[in-house]
Amino acid sequence: MRTLGSGNMREAVALPPGEDLNEWLAVNTVDFFNEVSLVWGITCDSTMPVFAAGEGFPPGFEYFWADGVKIKNPIRCSSTEYVDYVMTWVEEQINNEQVFPTSSDNPFPRNYMAVVKQIYTRIFRIFAIIYTHHFSRLEELAAVAHLNTSFKHFCFFIWQFDLVDPRELDALQVIVGALREQYEGGSS
């Protein structure tokens, strides 16, 4: 897997001494959202395939959408619709002072970790959609090393803090398996 040569990724994801875990998760959540937004934006152009509901997901997977507020019951959608739903929802979460407080006077909510885990699960799904259906477009644009570096950083972070159910990762089993070996072996 070709990356941008990003140094020691295990050290990069570790909680710095004296840093608050919730703050560290919040900062990195915003960063990963921005990264996946950038990569997704690169794939969105006139050559993007059009998928019907239930299409455009990794083989053997289909992601349904529900946010529990506007859409309470999971709905079937295409991969591009799913990504749009996720991007909108994540942005709403990180801009919500009740979920991601910007002042030390406001505590993180009790359900903070559950929200963070849901965000990371959904961001992983966007990476899975990109790898399975938009990889060739990123190759054409010479952006694969950027994608791989972003995804490697993302994976090391989710493993460091146990943020995504391992069953979710089966959508990219080969790529994730190789990265997991690097993570567990201590190589970056």
Side-chain angles (χ1 to χ4, degrees), residues 33-43 87 146:
F33 172 72
N34 289 335
E35 277 292 312
V36 81
S37 295
L38 175 68
V39 174
W40 180 251
I42 291 169
T43 67
M87 297 300 230
H146 183 86

Side-chain angles (χ1 to χ4, degrees), residues 54-130:
E55 295 180 346
F57 299 102
F61 288 83
E62 182 178 352
Y63 304 135
F64 290 76
W65 178 255
D67 62 9
V69 178
K70 297 175 191 160
I71 301 174
K72 295 184 190 282
N73 297 315
I75 61 168
R76 194 168 198 224
C77 54
S78 71
S79 62
T80 49
E81 291 169 324
Y82 182 83
V83 171
D84 287 342
Y85 283 129
V86 170
M87 297 300 230
T88 300
W89 179 81
V90 172
E91 188 168 25
E92 288 171 356
Q93 300 310 302
I94 62 178
N95 289 329
N96 182 343
E97 293 269 339
Q98 300 301 311
V99 180
F100 284 81
T102 56
S103 167
S104 58
D105 295 337
N106 299 329
F108 286 89
R110 284 194 288 191
N111 69 336
Y112 178 70
M113 188 57 81
V115 173
V116 166
K117 286 183 174 190
Q118 191 170 37
I119 288 171
Y120 279 88
T121 297
R122 290 174 171 175
I123 289 175
F124 171 80
R125 292 174 175 182
I126 294 173
F127 276 117
I129 290 165
I130 291 169

